[in-house]
Amino acid sequence: NQHCVDGTDEDFCEHLLLNECNQESEYLCKNGMCIDEEYFLDGDIDCQDQSDEQRLSIYALTTLCFARPKLDCDERISDSKRLISCGDGSHVSVEQQYREVSMVNVFDTCYTFRERQWKCELNNREIMWTNPANGHCLDYVDNTTNVLKENNDCIFIHKCALTRQSQHYLCPCTGNRCRAYFYLYCGSNNVSLFAYPSGRIFTPFVETYYKSDTHNFDGNAWPDVFIFTRSIKCNSEIRATPNITNQNDWLYDEYVVTQSAKVYSA
């Protein structure tokens, strides 16, 4: 699977050798890992993807991963592309990355808020503030909170527009009232199509933009435009790049976005 935007994590993948286990003495996990045959169905998880144990026993062993430091949790790898890792051995549905209530039919969340990182303002149930240093989510920022200043003033004022009153003590506004500050904070930045969150945080193939001069910040924190880069690397060659000015490359419908992200990430 491609994870880097430029596809460098897939360089020379066509030359990868598939792992083979000793058929007499080893068990082949679904992820290609080999373990001794005696550890298959022994009640302890030995494969990182947990494929050596029955699913019911896996749930009993890992359901409290977030609360206990166990090897079963630390090395856990999901075998489903419909799940994303919380980084503590637990997983949540990939739909948790998306804001629209209509698309979210499960209400689990990472105890670390990892699925919200770098886009904390976009969560539909609890709007938070993104720490620019590490992407972690904060309930609020006051003058005693150790948070770095945003490198980009235009990003800062957009975060103010997307959050609640007093969520950051330096915000001069929230919601649509921030439109009056865009010129002061954004300067020459084009707010008619402004990139936020930056860094392609939904998938390496998607960039998100706000039509900030017309966006309703009072009622909707969700980006207006999703642009699929389609920058998929195949045999050391990047295939297709988007034309940001061509609206044929834009998507608005969240169902299309979530379904396409699953397909392109497969």
Side-chain angles (χ1 to χ4, degrees):
N1 295 339
Q2 180 177 325
H3 296 95
C4 296
V5 172
D6 61 3
T8 51
D9 60 310
E10 296 301 309
D11 281 345
F12 311 111
C13 64
E14 66 272 19
H15 301 300
L16 281 176
L17 296 176
L18 295 177
N19 197 27
E20 293 184 2
C21 300
N22 187 318
Q23 296 184 1
E24 300 295 327
S25 61
E26 293 182 319
Y27 172 76
L28 176 63
C29 307
K30 285 184 178 179
N31 66 353
M33 179 181 175
C34 298
I35 62 170
D36 287 345
E37 184 71 34
E38 64 183 287
Y39 297 136
F40 176 61
L41 295 179
D42 66 344
D44 292 321
I45 296 172
D46 300 288
C47 295
Q48 286 184 310
D49 62 3
Q50 308 170 357
S51 56
D52 60 311
E53 300 298 329
Q54 295 182 2
R55 191 158 297 279
L56 186 62
S57 62
I58 289 172
Y59 180 80
L61 289 167
T62 62
T63 185
L64 294 176
C65 268
F66 68 90
R68 58 188 185 185
K70 288 192 65 180
L71 192 63
D72 294 341
C73 295
D74 292 343
E75 296 191 350
R76 186 182 180 195
I77 298 175
S78 172
D79 62 352
S80 172
K81 296 185 185 302
R82 298 184 64 86
L83 299 175
I84 55 177
S85 171
C86 293
D88 56 8
S90 58
H91 297 84
V92 296
S93 168
V94 69
E95 278 84 1
Q96 293 299 97
Q97 294 187 95
Y98 299 93
R99 187 177 190 277
E100 291 296 310
V101 177
S102 60
M103 290 299 298
V104 181
N105 48 28
V106 287
F107 292 95
D108 293 334
T109 187
C110 292
Y111 283 82
T112 59
F113 297 126
R114 191 184 190 199
E115 84 282 13
R116 306 183 191 180
Q117 283 188 338
W118 299 109
K119 53 183 180 296
C120 309
E121 296 81 16
L122 307 190
N123 187 270
N124 64 317
R125 293 186 299 279
E126 186 179 8
I127 296 173
M128 304 175 82
W129 185 274
T130 302
N131 186 336
N134 52 27
H136 293 177
C137 299
L138 304 169
D139 285 326
Y140 64 92
V141 178
D142 61 21
N143 59 1
T144 65
T145 310
N146 185 22
V147 175
L148 293 177
K149 184 181 183 295
E150 296 283 349
N151 291 327
N152 187 313
D153 288 339
C154 198
I155 288 180
F156 175 77
I157 200 65
H158 275 78
K159 289 169 69 172
C160 291
L162 291 167
T163 50
R164 301 184 298 265
Q165 189 70 36
S166 303
Q167 194 136 26
H168 193 296
Y169 76 106
L170 292 177
C171 280
C173 58
T174 57
N176 290 335
R177 292 179 295 280
C178 287
R179 285 208 193 110
Y181 292 85
F182 283 160
Y183 179 78
L184 175 63
Y185 280 77
C186 295
S188 60
N189 284 280
N190 180 14
V191 296
S192 63
L193 197 63
F194 184 77
Y196 188 78
S198 57
R200 301 179 184 179
I201 41 75
F202 290 98
T203 161
F205 316 118
V206 172
E207 295 175 343
T208 52
Y209 293 83
Y210 285 87
K211 296 181 177 181
S212 306
D213 50 352
T214 59
H215 183 86
N216 179 17
F217 289 99
D218 286 340
N220 178 26
W222 197 242
D224 297 303
V225 174
F226 288 76
I227 298 180
F228 275 85
T229 68
R230 299 187 299 279
S231 56
I232 299 174
K233 195 160 195 174
C234 181
N235 291 334
S236 302
E237 180 183 348
I238 288 287
R239 302 295 178 89
T241 55
N243 178 2
I244 191 173
T245 62
N246 181 4
Q247 295 197 22
N248 290 330
D249 280 335
W250 298 5
L251 283 175
Y252 303 92
D253 185 271
E254 185 178 3
Y255 179 79
V256 175
V257 172
T258 53
Q259 295 304 310
S260 299
K262 293 174 189 176
V263 171
Y264 284 121
S265 297

